[in-house]
Amino acid sequence: MFFTQNKDFVYFVDGSGITKIDKGNSEKKKLINKSWDEPGGIGLFGSNVYLLDKKSGILKFVPSEDEFSETNYFSADTPDLGSAAAIAIDGSVYVLFDSGDIKKYTRGKEDSFSLSGVEKAMVGPTRVFTNEDADNIYVLDNGNSRVVVLDREGKFVSAYSASVIKNAKDLDVDEAGKKIFVLSGDKVYQIDLK
């Protein structure tokens, strides 16, 4: 299962589609019925919902009245996303691959983006986080039991290590509150940002 959130709602992907939960009253509402093969992540930008389908690309769902229209995010050839692990969106879409590589796409076309200064290669990363309010990009590097922090150009900023990260399933970041939240097992752990 994959999830993302904004200040009002949590959105999650399960076997039947995409559902949102109202943070104010916990009311659930099914938004989108499943139309994809192999989900690999979910992201939000504005009122649009993006879903990484490892077989057919990134699906963009745009709300209109009581439903969502579906389009392929990529304007030309869809890249091979079979080894993609997760996505994050800040206006551009960042795709994290099992290898630790990250590709950046803007308006459906690949942008220049390269990792630099990361001394120890990432091993089995599973999630990437950023949004329009974040200054940085955060990668859940499970194989090295750490969260790697990168700037918007891919330059290493810092890393936070903890044994619970090895088996973590997801992360969320509150830069304003200076906190990283890591879901590991059935608990959420907090790491303070420096």
Side-chain angles (χ1 to χ4, degrees):
M1 184 183 333
F2 299 92
F3 83 96
T4 189
Q5 65 181 325
N6 59 24
K7 67 181 183 101
D8 298 317
F9 300 100
V10 174
Y11 296 77
F12 67 91
V13 180
D14 63 19
S16 66
I18 298 173
T19 301
K20 79 174 180 179
I21 301 172
D22 188 313
K23 289 182 179 179
N25 61 18
S26 299
E27 181 180 310
K28 287 184 182 181
K29 180 179 180 185
K30 180 71 156 284
L31 292 181
I32 301 164
N33 289 321
K34 182 180 177 190
S35 63
W36 47 86
D37 294 309
E38 188 177 347
I42 184 173
L44 299 173
F45 188 73
S47 57
N48 298 331
V49 179
Y50 296 77
L51 182 108
L52 168 62
D53 183 345
K54 293 183 180 191
K55 293 192 177 183
S56 38
I58 295 174
L59 306 176
K60 179 179 177 182
F61 297 94
V62 179
S64 59
E65 309 220 0
D66 288 342
E67 59 185 28
F68 283 79
S69 61
E70 176 184 329
T71 60
N72 192 321
Y73 170 74
F74 295 105
S75 50
D77 295 331
T78 300
D80 180 2
L81 300 176
S83 65
I87 61 171
I89 304 171
D90 67 358
S92 294
V93 176
Y94 298 85
V95 179
L96 172 68
F97 291 86
D98 296 339
S99 63
D101 291 334
I102 298 174
K103 292 195 176 184
K104 177 182 177 182
Y105 299 92
T106 305
R107 294 189 178 105
K109 297 186 184 216
E110 188 171 354
D111 262 350
S112 108
F113 183 86
S114 61
L115 299 178
S116 64
V118 181
E119 291 180 13
K120 191 176 192 182
M122 289 189 258
V123 177
T126 57
R127 294 292 190 266
V128 60
F129 173 90
T130 194
N131 62 31
E132 63 267 24
D133 298 322
D135 292 330
N136 295 304
I137 299 164
Y138 299 80
V139 180
L140 188 57
D141 180 13
N142 300 74
N144 291 310
S145 299
R146 66 183 179 172
V147 174
V148 175
V149 184
L150 308 166
D151 70 12
R152 296 290 180 157
E153 286 72 49
K155 184 178 175 189
F156 178 82
V157 173
S158 62
Y160 297 87
S161 297
S163 60
V164 298
I165 295 173
K166 182 114 183 125
N167 297 314
K169 294 179 179 83
D170 216 329
L171 85 158
D172 198 1
V173 180
D174 174 7
E175 281 188 340
K178 296 195 165 287
K179 308 236 180 279
I180 299 172
F181 299 99
V182 177
L183 174 64
S184 185
D186 59 355
K187 295 182 181 178
V188 175
Y189 297 88
Q190 175 183 305
I191 300 169
D192 293 333
L193 285 169
K194 298 174 191 165

